[in-house]
Every structure is written in C-alpha cells, then in structure tokens.
Amino acid sequence: MTQLSDLGEFGLIKRISEAITLQNPSSLMGIGDDCAVIAPSLGMRQVVTTDLLLEGIHFDLTYCPLKHLGYKAIAVNLSDIYAMNATPKQVTVSIGVSNKLTLKAIDDLYNGMLLACERYGVDIVGGDTSTSMTGLTISITAIGEALQDKLSFRSGAKPNDIVCVSGDLGAAYMGLQLLEREKRALANQTEDQQQPQFDGYDYILERQLKPEPRADVVEFLNKIEVVPTSMMDISDGLSSEMLHICESSNCGCRIYEEKIPIDHVTRNMAEELSINPTIAALNGGEDYELLFTINQNDYSKFQSTPGPNIFAIGYITDKEKGRRLITQGSNNELDLQAQGWKAFEK
Amino acid sequence: MTQLSDLGEFGLIKRISEAITLQNPSSLMGIGDDCAVIAPSLGMRQVVTTDLLLEGIHFDLTYCPLKHLGYKAIAVNLSDIYAMNATPKQVTVSIGVSNKLTLKAIDDLYNGMLLACERYGVDIVGGDTSTSMTGLTISITAIGEALQDKLSFRSGAKPNDIVCVSGDLGAAYMGLQLLEREKRALANQTEDQQQPQFDGYDYILERQLKPEPRADVVEFLNKIEVVPTSMMDISDGLSSEMLHICESSNCGCRIYEEKIPIDHVTRNMAEELSINPTIAALNGGEDYELLFTINQNDYSKFQSTPGPNIFAIGYITDKEKGRRLITQGSNNELDLQAQGWKAFEK
C-alpha cells in the first residue's frame, strides 16, 4: 500500500490535479498556481457557499465509505447553489488527512468528488492539502451563477404563496438511524457474525450516504419559467428551514402533516424503530431536497408540465398567524419548532 | 464567561454577521442565505484561493493569540490573491471549534479576521460554523479580481528576466524558532519565573504572528505599469517558490546569496541560535513576501519611482543551466533545493 508520506504534498497535489479535466469554459485555470482563474459570465451574478465537514461530527468512517463521503461532500455544497436557483460551476476542495490514511483511501475520496462534479458539470479548480493531527477534515467552497432576476432568496415569501417541497423527507435521517443501529449491533458481535442487516433498506441508506442535489428541480423551474418567491435546501429538517424562510420573509405559514411526502421505506424503518416518521421529516435533516414558495398564479404551470416530484404542502400566512403544522386526522395546529442539528451542544 | 453552547450555532452566526459591514459594491449579499451573492466586475477575471489551517499543524494556541491567528488566516489567503497581481474582494470563513473555547476566544478570532479584512478592503460574505471533536479548524476561501492582461502566473518567466523579491526573508521562521524556544524554556520553569525573553525581537515575532500581504507591491506594480512575467508569494521559503517558478516556466535561474534581503534582527536571532540566516531565508517560509520576475526593460521603472522595498536577487536562465544559488564570498554555485514545509512526513 502506498502511503501518503511516500508521495509527499506536491506528489499528492500532482496526482489530484492530473485526475481533473476542466469542463466549464468559465474555468480558465485550475490547480497549479497561487489561485484558480475564472471568467464570470457576462451579466450573471455569482453565488458562493462553503461547508466544513469534520470526522466525528459530520461523518463516521466506520460506516461511510470514502467514495460516498467525497460524493456527498460535493453534493451538499451544490445543493446550496441550487437552493439559490443557480447553477454550480466551480468548487475548491481542501482536505486535512492523517498519515494513517492510505493513498487508496484518498483516491476513493477524490473519485467520489470527481463523480459528483462530473454528474453536475462542476470543475474542481483549487484546494489545499494538509496533514491532520486528528481526523479527516474536508472543506469545500462552491461557486455558481444565475441571472439576478432568477435568484431565489429566503426572504421573498408572501402571504398566500404556496409552500412546495421536492422529493421526500426523513429518509436520510432514518438511513442514519439504521447505520447507527447496525454499528452498535456489530460492536457486540464476533468477527464471523458481522453481517449488517440492510436488506430492503437500500433507499434510505442511499439517501443518507449518497444524497443528490436537486439540479433537476432547478432546471424544471427554469423550463416552466417559474422563479420561486423563496427557496432553501433542506439540510437541517423541514421545520428548521421553514422557520428560516418565515423569519427572513417576515411571515407565517401553515404546513399540512398529511401533505409532507414520506417514502414507504422511511415509514417502515420508522415503525421498526418506533419513531414518528413526521418527526423524522420535520427534524431529521440531510434530505437535501428543495423547499420553496411560489405565487399561486404559477401553480398551474407545475400541473400542466411533466417534471420532477414536487409537492404542495401548505401556504404562507401573515406573520401574526404563526408558523404551524396542521396535524393529520385531528387537524390540531402545532407550532413548528427547530429541533434540527444543533452545534455546540454539550 | 459565555460559552458557545449557551449561544448555539444560529446565535453564533448572528453574532458574527452583525459584526460585518460589507464594503465592496460587488458584495451584493453576505451571510444569511444559502449562498453569498457577488456581482463580478465587467471584463474582469476572478481569482480564487483557499487555505486550511489546523491546530497543531499550522498554529499553536499556546503562543499564538487568537486575534493574531484570525488576522494571519486572512492575510495568508490575501497573499495568494496578490501573488496573481490581483485585488482581493471577498472571503468565506469556516471554523470548527471545540466546546472548550469561550465566546471571548471566538470574538478575538473574528476581530482579528475583521481587522485584516478592513485593512485590505475585503468582505467576509459567507462561511460555516461547526463543533470540532478535536482542535480548532479554520478554512478560508478568498476571491479577487484583475484584468486578464494584468494577471501574473508562475509560468511566464523568460531567460534574462530579473528575479525580484519584496521586503526581507527568514524573519517569520526565526520568529517561530524564538517562540518555540521560549515555550520550551517556560515548560521547565515554575509559575513565578514565567517571563518570556522577547526584548528586541518584536520584528521577527510580528513577522511570524501577524504577517502582512504585500498589497502595496501590487499597487506599486500597477502604478509603474509593470506586469511581472511571473509571480508567487513566499509561503514555503525562497528555494521552494523559485523552483516552482522555474518548473512552471521551464527555465533555470541564478540567485545571489548576497542579494537576498535579510533583516538585522533576523540575523541576530539566527546567530544566537546558530542557524545560517541564508538557510532561514531559503527554506524557512511564512514570509508572505512576493517573489517575481520582470523583463529587463522594466527595471528602470523600479529605479525611477519611489516605492516599497523591492530587491533584484538574480536572473532567469535557460533550463539547461540549472537552478543555482551563487554563494557569498566564494561564488560557488549550489543547486537550489526545496526543503520547505513537507506535509505527510512521518
């Protein structure tokens, strides 16, 4: 096994840069100088987002294959670009790795990243590599572009707008619960018994390990000429993101529990673990679906054109009416609460 | 003392964003949405660079005050932008912090960053905050701009070009040696004896703890209308960077040891520690001065206009002539060797 220490920093950078072929005309120069050089498209705005992923906080290498981790690291950043109704073009990738990682492991990580980049038409144009005294550290910055009047912010939702969500929710969270359960189970078994029980749960595992940013939704919105009045991606759970939109837009909302899209595999796993699937959807996070609001006049455009799975789950109200979930069956109104991922908790 | 856990992630983000006032017209929107929004200037190229700083690898909190660390973290990224002969405009800042850090410590870190940003006219437009299981992690991405024909790459040096360097070299390295010596000394003393011996060494300490990117050199180059044929900032030491330029430009060079600018404080410290000051300049690193090559025809412009301290230290040759240091006094020719910072060494 080749070790990183045999290759050295410059050797590693050379290896990484040789694996990259720039595909966007705007990526004038990639890795190899003090900076990458980009030619911004005429008249376009640029959007920039960044994410820091730390071992032990954001991922667990005992069940997260490095190739998947690389893919996900890129995907979650692109998701933020799409959440602006923009198109990602470039990323920079910095990694801190301990000496114990093999070159194969780093290759896997970058292969996952390159796979995501290729799929979404994005170039790795720069980065940094470092040793780490502790765990694996990944920091990614993504750059995208859009016309000014196509950008969707968190702040534009208006009373009577329809609240929409793409795909389905809670699956990534249930996938994580399954992985954690199997990790605990395996820890209590001897070597030859180690067979995790994942049969039938591929969908939620994939949602956790290899999320896909909703490029297709942004393309569809562009095709039907709808600019959402507000948009976010769902990384912390529906509740938390809905509250962000309401806070930024200075409004309230009503969300119908029965309208929240939840896959049957998610429901099955939730039942098995005695978790309320609505709670998983509201507070689970990591779904990387798009949550957005549209003017009622635009709603017919969604119905008349075939496209990706998008669901109307509620509507925007005046701020005074609060931010509420209308429960299934009983029609109770409950305050939405942000119980998503909380950093810095003891 | 307020703890981070009392504030929470959103509280911390709010606190950080409230301390920021955007100063560049191109920074349309900063922290607070899925992405920052930038309006690239018409006809300009964008340059992008990123650096990952890890506790225990790139900094030691036992002698690096957090305010200085914040300042330096921004400074080293801006240095890469200036090294392209470009002007920095925006940065994103991601931090991973352990719960044991106080809010005061985080405030100090950001105050240092904001001080550097203010000084160099740069906006913090985005970032990420996370808990860290281990040490402090800082990841910064900087974005700048320049006209295409003003950009300086590593690859443009031509035979007979003059090799120039700004400021003086080796000081940051000697500053680090002094800090390490005092750290060792203090570890062996009782509490009431702890008085580090820094008198007379302010200059090298400041060069290590609070480096300044050479914005003034880039402004001067612009003023005298000289575009360097190649340029880099010196982060790993003169040898390593000179070899990068030669490798990228497919050429050789002659560097005169006697021409390498070294401050007298650097020399004094080197003598005290029995280190050859030329070695500190060649291999020490972290000076963040600019190393560049210019066409001989441009040399008179440097002499006729008052400006920052810039020194001609050698010239570019054909590749076949090798990359050599001409030693002081003896006029021996020694091969330049990259002995700068090597990541991944056991």
Side-chain angles (χ1 to χ4, degrees):
Chain A
M1 287 282 226
T2 308
Q3 298 299 316
L4 280 176
S5 47
D6 303 331
L7 198 63
E9 191 197 10
F10 296 137
L12 178 60
I13 293 172
K14 188 160 179 280
R15 189 182 179 92
I16 292 166
S17 58
E18 282 174 355
I20 296 170
T21 309
L22 299 181
Q23 49 185 325
N24 281 302
S26 62
S27 305
L28 296 185
M29 200 176 70
I31 296 170
D33 215 299
D34 293 289
C35 291
V37 183
I38 295 172
S41 305
L42 206 65
M44 299 290 256
R45 300 305 190 200
Q46 241 182 358
V47 293
V48 182
T49 182
T50 192
D51 263 313
L52 184 64
L53 301 173
L54 302 173
E55 186 174 346
I57 302 283
H58 301 98
F59 56 89
D60 183 336
L61 290 179
T62 54
Y63 52 67
C64 185
L66 279 157
K67 190 170 179 181
H68 284 73
L69 179 61
Y71 193 95
K72 183 171 176 174
I74 295 291
V76 303
N77 274 280
L78 303 190
S79 183
D80 276 321
I81 300 280
Y82 291 119
M84 300 296 289
N85 203 28
T87 307
K89 294 289 178 182
Q90 286 90 18
V91 292
T92 62
V93 174
S94 295
I95 56 166
V97 289
S98 68
N99 257 325
K100 66 171 194 262
L101 276 192
T102 62
L103 189 58
K104 164 84 168 58
I106 300 297
D107 280 346
D108 284 349
L109 182 71
Y110 272 92
N111 284 337
M113 292 201 246
L114 287 169
L115 194 64
C117 284
E118 197 179 335
R119 178 151 188 181
Y120 293 98
V122 169
D123 295 319
I124 298 180
V125 294
D128 194 11
T129 56
S130 169
T131 37
S132 163
M133 299 285 278
T134 49
L136 178 61
T137 301
I138 304 172
S139 176
I140 292 179
T141 298
I143 297 175
E145 61 180 30
L147 291 168
Q148 172 72 36
D149 59 4
K150 294 268 183 176
L151 286 171
S152 280
F153 303 97
R154 298 180 181 182
S155 55
K158 297 272 179 301
N160 300 319
D161 282 356
I162 298 171
V163 177
C164 299
V165 69
S166 65
D168 60 86
L169 302 181
Y173 178 75
M174 293 317 306
L176 182 62
Q177 300 312 308
L178 176 60
L179 287 165
E180 294 278 359
R181 182 183 76 175
E182 294 306 309
K183 183 184 174 184
R184 286 191 299 271
L186 292 180
N188 297 327
Q189 286 179 356
T190 59
E191 193 74 31
D192 58 345
Q193 289 176 299
Q194 293 197 5
Q195 287 299 329
Q197 300 303 310
F198 291 152
D199 287 355
Y201 289 122
D202 293 358
Y203 180 67
I204 59 172
L205 290 175
E206 187 153 320
R207 293 284 284 173
Q208 168 57 225
L209 294 174
K210 193 165 167 286
E212 300 288 353
R214 296 307 300 261
D216 57 338
V217 172
V218 170
E219 282 161 22
F220 179 70
L221 289 168
N222 195 42
K223 183 178 164 191
I224 62 172
E225 297 182 349
V226 170
V227 178
T229 53
S230 71
M231 185 149 66
M232 278 189 76
D233 69 328
I234 301 179
S235 53
D236 293 348
L238 176 61
S239 270
S240 173
E241 317 305 10
M242 198 62 238
L243 288 172
H244 275 305
I245 284 180
C246 287
E247 197 59 37
S248 295
S249 300
N250 201 31
C251 63
C253 70
R254 290 294 176 277
I255 302 297
Y256 295 93
E257 183 184 9
E258 68 189 56
K259 303 281 190 188
I260 297 173
I262 297 174
D263 191 86
H264 71 280
V265 182
T266 307
R267 289 193 191 279
N268 290 349
M269 188 76 238
E271 191 176 337
E272 202 175 317
L273 297 180
S274 303
I275 294 174
N276 180 338
T278 299
I279 300 293
L282 287 174
N283 300 329
E286 292 205 279
D287 287 314
Y288 299 105
E289 294 295 343
L290 291 172
L291 173 68
F292 56 97
T293 57
I294 55 165
N295 188 294
Q296 286 202 7
N297 297 333
D298 283 331
Y299 191 58
S300 62
K301 296 182 190 170
F302 285 84
Q303 294 176 308
S304 59
T305 313
N309 44 359
I310 290 169
F311 303 91
I313 61 168
Y315 60 95
I316 298 295
T317 66
D318 287 333
K319 188 181 181 184
E320 292 65 37
K321 298 205 168 154
R323 292 126 192 199
R324 305 242 165 83
L325 178 77
I326 299 166
T327 59
Q328 200 158 6
S330 58
N331 280 339
N332 284 332
E333 290 198 358
L334 304 177
D335 278 340
L336 285 174
Q337 291 185 322
Q339 297 182 343
W341 173 76
K342 289 215 186 67
F344 313 122
E345 280 202 341
K346 279 166 197 166
Chain B
M1 288 284 227
T2 309
Q3 298 298 316
L4 280 176
S5 47
D6 303 330
L7 198 64
E9 190 197 11
F10 296 137
L12 179 60
I13 293 172
K14 188 159 177 280
R15 190 182 179 90
I16 293 166
S17 58
E18 282 173 355
I20 295 171
T21 309
L22 299 181
Q23 48 184 327
N24 282 300
S26 62
S27 305
L28 296 186
M29 200 177 71
I31 296 170
D33 215 300
D34 294 291
C35 290
V37 182
I38 295 172
S41 304
L42 206 66
M44 298 290 256
R45 299 305 191 202
Q46 242 181 355
V47 293
V48 182
T49 182
T50 192
D51 263 312
L52 184 63
L53 301 173
L54 302 173
E55 186 174 346
I57 302 284
H58 302 99
F59 56 89
D60 183 335
L61 289 180
T62 54
Y63 53 65
C64 186
L66 279 156
K67 190 170 179 181
H68 284 73
L69 179 61
Y71 193 96
K72 183 170 176 174
I74 296 292
V76 303
N77 274 280
L78 303 190
S79 183
D80 276 322
I81 300 280
Y82 291 119
M84 300 297 288
N85 203 28
T87 307
K89 296 288 179 184
Q90 285 91 18
V91 292
T92 62
V93 174
S94 295
I95 56 166
V97 289
S98 68
N99 257 326
K100 67 171 192 262
L101 276 193
T102 61
L103 189 57
K104 164 83 169 57
I106 301 296
D107 280 346
D108 284 349
L109 182 71
Y110 272 91
N111 284 338
M113 292 200 245
L114 287 170
L115 194 64
C117 284
E118 197 179 332
R119 179 153 187 176
Y120 294 97
V122 169
D123 295 319
I124 298 179
V125 294
D128 195 9
T129 55
S130 169
T131 36
S132 163
M133 299 287 276
T134 50
L136 179 61
T137 302
I138 305 172
S139 175
I140 292 179
T141 299
I143 297 176
E145 60 179 31
L147 291 167
Q148 172 73 36
D149 59 4
K150 294 268 181 175
L151 286 171
S152 280
F153 302 97
R154 297 181 181 182
S155 55
K158 296 273 179 302
N160 301 319
D161 282 356
I162 298 171
V163 178
C164 299
V165 70
S166 65
D168 59 86
L169 303 181
Y173 177 75
M174 293 317 307
L176 182 63
Q177 299 312 308
L178 175 60
L179 287 165
E180 294 277 2
R181 184 184 73 174
E182 295 306 308
K183 183 184 174 184
R184 284 191 300 270
L186 292 181
N188 297 328
Q189 287 178 354
T190 58
E191 193 75 28
D192 58 345
Q193 290 177 301
Q194 293 197 8
Q195 287 298 331
Q197 299 302 311
F198 291 153
D199 287 354
Y201 290 122
D202 293 358
Y203 180 67
I204 59 172
L205 289 176
E206 187 153 322
R207 293 284 285 173
Q208 168 57 226
L209 294 175
K210 192 165 167 286
E212 300 289 352
R214 297 307 301 260
D216 58 336
V217 172
V218 169
E219 282 161 22
F220 179 70
L221 289 168
N222 195 42
K223 182 179 164 190
I224 62 173
E225 295 181 348
V226 170
V227 177
T229 53
S230 70
M231 186 148 67
M232 278 188 78
D233 70 327
I234 301 180
S235 54
D236 292 349
L238 176 61
S239 271
S240 173
E241 317 305 9
M242 198 63 238
L243 289 172
H244 275 305
I245 285 181
C246 287
E247 196 61 36
S248 295
S249 300
N250 201 30
C251 62
C253 70
R254 291 293 176 277
I255 302 297
Y256 295 93
E257 183 184 9
E258 67 189 56
K259 303 279 191 190
I260 298 172
I262 298 175
D263 190 85
H264 71 280
V265 182
T266 307
R267 288 193 191 279
N268 290 349
M269 188 75 238
E271 192 176 335
E272 203 176 316
L273 297 180
S274 302
I275 294 173
N276 180 340
T278 300
I279 300 293
L282 288 173
N283 300 329
E286 292 204 280
D287 289 312
Y288 300 105
E289 295 294 342
L290 291 172
L291 173 69
F292 57 96
T293 57
I294 56 167
N295 188 294
Q296 286 202 6
N297 297 333
D298 284 330
Y299 190 58
S300 61
K301 297 182 190 171
F302 284 85
Q303 294 175 306
S304 60
T305 313
N309 44 359
I310 290 169
F311 303 90
I313 60 168
Y315 61 94
I316 297 295
T317 66
D318 287 333
K319 187 180 181 182
E320 291 66 36
K321 298 207 168 150
R323 292 127 192 196
R324 304 242 165 83
L325 178 78
I326 299 167
T327 60
Q328 198 158 5
S330 59
N331 281 338
N332 284 332
E333 290 198 358
L334 304 177
D335 278 340
L336 285 175
Q337 291 186 324
Q339 297 182 343
W341 175 75
K342 290 216 187 64
F344 312 122
E345 280 201 339
K346 279 166 199 164

